[in-house]
Amino acid sequence: MRVLAVGDSYMPPRYFEEVFAGLGEGFEVAYAQVDAARPFAPSSASERKLREYQGSPAELVEWMPGVEVLVVQGAPVTDAVLDASSELKLVGCARGGPVNVDVEAATERGLPLVNTPGKNAEAVADLTVAFLVMLARGLPAAQRFLAEGHRLRDNWEGARFMGSDLRRHVLGVVGYGAIGRLVVERVAPFGMAVLVYDPFVEAAGVEQVDTLEELLARADFVSLHVRASADNVNMIDSAALAAMKPGALLVNTARETLVDEDALDAALASGRLAGAALDVVRTSAESGPHRLLRHHNVVLTPHLGGATHETLLQGAEMIRDEIRRFAAGEPLLNLVNRAAVAL
């Protein structure tokens, strides 16, 4: 079976190479990397459906003849790419949401598309716990103190950076999917009490509340782990922030649309919110430091929650396993377009 694995600047082909070397006999794998600088202006209907891609479909078209399995991470997969190999049987996208693939075109051609949901869950859960510790111990202010050239003269001055343990505090987890569950597992050794709010999932073995308002009122730390949707834009708005306990802390490693940044800025400025750690913020044309960084108790990172070597390797492993299932005639585990299989 001829496999083409296409890498990009985020997930270079070496990750596929390391994992796909274990596919075994019967597989012929070729590797390529898109040219991020190659001009591409979407013009066709299929091209305009894609988001968050790198490279040009024309590159993939050149590589496709004879390919039976196409694997990408962020390369653009359009109808033209799918039609460039008459032998194509399976498409794999090594990310949670295949937004760079024309799913409808794949389905119309009877091509199953598999993806890698949850591949970054471990990494994002780790970052969440790191954020909790950083906020509890007041590390943003302490780091800024040293970055500005200040020094402590003796141990007594350390009292100005008095923080808190995680123990004896309540963590409110909003969203109990793969990441939320892992966060709950990770904080157990810290001695935190946990509340969960998720109207779509039953959280067995942990206290689950019926409303977001109850969670906000009881939690010392609130951590967001829900998927973005039209229904939860600005779910953490001025009213939600006002409902939180005075001195509470907010963590968002999920999606930027969940938080009203104007309301968050105001809550931090007023002192009602004791701090926030965000891996995701809304894009802006403004230059210079993000406005939230004017607060001494804020941590911002540039959407790096899933940016670990292990995450990329796991994505490649999940796709490798799907290729093996497909070759063996077994059901696919993470099939995006089930309608394609019925055709």
Side-chain angles (χ1 to χ4, degrees), residues 145-165:
F145 174 84
L146 295 175
E148 292 173 348
H150 303 296
R151 297 287 188 276
L152 291 180
R153 293 187 297 270
D154 54 47
N155 290 341
W156 305 109
E157 282 195 324
R160 72 175 64 187
F161 302 112
M162 193 67 65
S164 294
D165 295 344

Side-chain angles (χ1 to χ4, degrees), residues 96-257:
V99 295
N100 54 303
V101 178
D102 186 343
V103 179
E104 184 178 354
T107 304
E108 290 172 350
R109 288 157 177 77
L111 295 170
L113 168 64
V114 292
N115 67 334
T116 58
K119 72 168 186 179
N120 66 351
E122 299 279 354
V124 177
D126 285 351
L127 183 66
T128 300
V129 176
F131 278 171
L132 294 174
V133 174
M134 292 177 74
L135 291 177
R137 298 301 301 270
L139 295 189
Q143 187 175 44
R144 182 173 299 187
F145 174 84
L146 295 175
E148 292 173 348
H150 303 296
R151 297 287 188 276
L152 291 180
R153 293 187 297 270
D154 54 47
N155 290 341
W156 305 109
E157 282 195 324
R160 72 175 64 187
F161 302 112
M162 193 67 65
S164 294
D165 295 344
L166 293 183
R167 62 183 174 137
R168 302 184 183 182
H169 289 88
V170 178
L171 171 64
V173 175
V174 182
Y176 201 58
I179 298 172
R181 290 187 182 94
L182 289 173
V183 169
V184 170
E185 290 177 7
R186 279 161 168 71
V187 301
F190 288 92
M192 297 192 83
V194 174
L195 301 175
V196 169
Y197 170 70
D198 191 325
F200 307 104
V201 176
E202 183 175 348
V206 65
E207 183 178 357
Q208 186 168 12
V209 296
D210 295 328
T211 66
L212 176 61
E213 290 71 24
E214 181 180 353
L215 180 142
L216 296 175
R218 293 175 56 188
D220 301 300
F221 298 79
V222 174
S223 190
L224 307 180
H225 302 286
V226 301
R227 294 185 178 185
S229 71
D231 296 329
N232 59 28
V233 173
N234 290 336
M235 69 182 299
I236 303 300
D237 56 10
S238 57
L241 291 164
M244 292 174 67
K245 296 172 64 174
L249 299 141
L250 176 69
V251 172
N252 183 15
T253 55
R255 289 291 182 264
E256 69 280 1
T257 56

